[in-house]
Amino acid sequence: MDTASEPTWQEQLRDAFREPSELAAFLNTPLDRLPPLPRSGSFPLLVPRGFANRMRKGDPLDPLLRQVWPDASESVAAPEERSDPVGDLSSRKAPGLLQKYASRALVVATGACAVHCRYCFRQNFPYDESATSPSRWAAQLDAFRADASLREAVLSGGDPLVLPDSAFAARVADLESVAHLSTLRIHSRLPVVLPSRITSDLCRILSTSRLRVVVVAHANHPSEIDSSVASAIARLRGAGAVVLNQSVLLAGVNDSADALENLSLALWDAGAMPYYLHALDRVEGSSRFRVADTDGIRLVEELRRRLPGYLVPRFVREIEGEPSKTPVG
């Protein structure tokens, strides 16, 4: 799907919306109909235009817009909210390398993303301290080599697919050199928000790897999945990757049985398997997205009545210090 007539994914990312006023104008939605903006902040707006194209024009309550629109409420932290809500900092095995669970470790490959989701649990992560340099990457590889119990390397971030193909290929090749690793898992929002990133070169890297490849995409609402996303998922599957999806249960976005049912069906039609439905990580300033556990349990029970079991995601929460994701209810 790499054509000379279309902008490259890098050009599309450079052309993303970064000013709220420009996004509002594109959506034909006056600023005074949208939630008030924060006075200042270090987590700016970032929205690819292709993702914005899937938003409903003139609708300040559009569920895709709600996920990315900066809100003044972000400056108010509830007592139970934290800057590091899932214990990333306490799980560092080396700078930029996290291990919370047996048999796998997670590489914070970059602090960059293609979209800034306002509920992001790593929006306060000290990426500068974990930025990958040759020496830090060597230390991470040494940690993988030193622990024969590690079977899976997880590339996360930020978003690892923001890396250019050459850098990404070099990471994969280095991980392939660790004999006891058998699986490469990639957590990325790009197949959904910037599907042009799934290039033929990227697919070649994945298809020729000796590692089994799992791509965990991230869509929260059925409107996020259009033909371009389905094509990106098809390319990943054609490269031999298993494609899963994880969602976050978000008030005003997908906190209805209809939205979650249609999301599972849209994912299935596109070739991705619903995997996790996460209870919101309580990062500072995220209260507007919170859904009570009792409501989430009720929604998942309704999904079980409507869908075959393989299309019902597992409703889980990440709790610091626990040996796995914790089922809710």
Side-chain angles (χ1 to χ4, degrees):
M1 183 132 181
D2 311 330
T3 65
S5 61
E6 295 179 353
T8 65
W9 69 269
Q10 295 99 326
E11 291 169 338
Q12 292 177 37
L13 184 54
R14 284 195 294 269
D15 195 37
F17 290 106
R18 287 174 168 80
E19 293 295 334
S21 59
E22 293 180 4
L23 177 59
F26 174 80
L27 295 173
N28 299 326
T29 306
L31 279 172
D32 60 10
R33 294 188 61 208
L34 291 162
L37 295 166
R39 292 185 178 178
S40 62
S42 59
F43 195 48
L45 177 98
L46 178 63
V47 185
R49 290 176 181 267
F51 190 69
N53 271 328
R54 298 171 224 162
M55 299 174 186
R56 293 191 296 260
K57 300 290 181 70
D59 183 0
L61 300 179
D62 177 79
L64 277 59
L65 176 61
R66 181 170 169 80
Q67 295 179 57
V68 301
W69 185 259
D71 190 305
S73 66
E74 294 171 10
S75 61
V76 180
E80 67 276 13
E81 294 175 349
R82 296 187 295 152
S83 62
D84 179 24
V86 296
D88 277 344
L89 301 184
S90 63
S91 67
R92 285 182 287 192
K93 191 177 178 79
L97 183 67
L98 314 180
Q99 186 178 10
K100 300 179 183 180
Y101 309 133
S103 79
R104 57 237 189 242
L106 182 148
V107 176
V108 181
T110 176
C113 287
V115 67
H116 286 171
C117 303
R118 310 314 300 181
Y119 53 87
C120 176
F121 69 95
R122 283 204 186 117
Q123 59 188 270
N124 302 306
F125 188 84
Y127 289 108
D128 289 346
E129 297 176 14
S130 303
T132 299
S133 63
S135 61
R136 283 181 173 167
W137 178 234
Q140 293 169 8
L141 284 172
D142 286 344
F144 273 111
R145 292 190 178 102
D147 189 347
S149 72
L150 294 175
R151 299 189 298 272
E152 182 175 17
V154 182
L155 294 183
S156 184
D159 197 305
L161 292 187
V162 170
L163 296 174
D165 285 333
S166 58
F168 185 83
R171 296 286 184 89
V172 173
D174 286 341
L175 291 169
E176 288 173 337
S177 73
V178 182
H180 50 264
L181 287 179
S182 60
T183 302
L184 173 67
R185 191 188 335 163
I186 302 161
H187 281 249
S188 179
R189 191 90 156 100
L190 271 74
V192 174
V193 302
L194 195 64
S196 58
R197 172 63 186 100
I198 311 305
T199 61
S200 57
D201 286 342
L202 175 65
C203 290
R204 192 176 305 113
I205 296 166
L206 301 180
S207 66
T208 57
S209 176
R210 74 160 184 85
L211 301 171
R212 292 190 295 268
V213 177
V214 179
V215 177
V216 182
H218 180 179
N220 294 315
H221 190 275
S223 295
E224 296 179 43
I225 301 171
D226 64 2
S227 60
S228 67
V229 175
S231 294
I233 292 171
R235 294 195 293 278
L236 288 168
R237 293 182 67 194
V242 174
V243 183
L244 308 175
N245 184 76
Q246 62 180 7
S247 305
V248 181
L249 183 59
L250 301 167
V253 174
N254 57 10
D255 56 337
S256 72
D258 286 347
L260 291 173
E261 177 189 17
N262 290 331
L263 174 60
S264 283
L265 292 172
L267 288 166
W268 181 246
D269 286 345
M273 179 70 74
Y275 172 44
Y276 276 149
L277 176 64
H278 283 271
L280 180 71
D281 295 319
R282 294 182 175 178
V283 68
E284 291 175 339
S286 64
S287 296
R288 68 188 184 280
F289 292 114
R290 194 172 305 164
V291 178
D293 285 355
T294 52
D295 291 333
I297 292 166
R298 174 183 52 78
L299 289 168
V300 173
E301 288 175 347
E302 179 61 25
L303 288 184
R304 290 195 183 101
R305 286 189 283 269
R306 298 186 184 193
L307 295 170
Y310 57 84
L311 291 186
V312 180
R314 285 168 282 180
F315 185 33
V316 298
R317 167 174 284 114
E318 184 167 352
I319 300 175
E320 181 177 355
E322 290 298 309
S324 68
K325 299 291 192 298
T326 301
V328 179

